[in-house]
Amino acid sequence: MPPKFGGGGEKCARCVKTVYAAEKIAAASLEWHKGCFKCKTCNTQLNLNTYKDFEKEIFCKGCFGDKLHPYERNRKELENAHTVKPAE
């Protein structure tokens, strides 16, 4: 049999290459390289304090709110625009 190259072990969720312990970040029930731990939408480098996850993908907090929950922000804008102000 020909020699098998490449490590076994955990694979990075972004690049699907082997993740070694020295470069591993565990988040969203997956393993990531530090360099691959970026927002899926805007490619901003993230860390464990600055990420949000949705369906095993990671996002920065801004993209998470803008892309995945736009109705919340739009609802607040509509409520403010259509609120009747009391007469003075």
Side-chain angles (χ1 to χ4, degrees):
M1 290 185 76
K4 184 176 179 181
F5 293 101
E10 299 293 328
K11 302 292 183 188
C12 175
R14 183 80 64 209
C15 70
V16 196
K17 294 180 182 177
T18 302
V19 180
Y20 298 101
E23 58 188 5
K24 178 169 60 172
I25 295 179
S29 302
L30 298 167
E31 309 292 330
W32 309 80
H33 289 112
K34 289 178 184 176
C36 293
F37 199 67
K38 296 179 180 182
C39 176
K40 182 181 180 183
T41 304
C42 69
N43 220 25
T44 300
Q45 187 69 45
L46 302 171
N47 63 46
L48 292 175
N49 294 322
T50 61
Y51 86 99
K52 293 279 194 176
D53 63 276
F54 180 74
E55 293 182 351
K56 297 194 176 189
E57 274 297 342
I58 54 172
F59 300 90
C60 67
K61 292 178 181 180
C63 289
F64 181 82
D66 290 346
K67 304 292 185 196
L68 301 175
H69 297 291
Y71 60 87
E72 292 176 4
R73 187 184 57 197
N74 291 339
R75 180 179 52 86
K76 289 177 186 174
E77 289 174 2
L78 287 172
E79 286 175 358
N80 291 338
H82 296 289
T83 302
V84 177
K85 296 179 182 177
E88 291 183 12

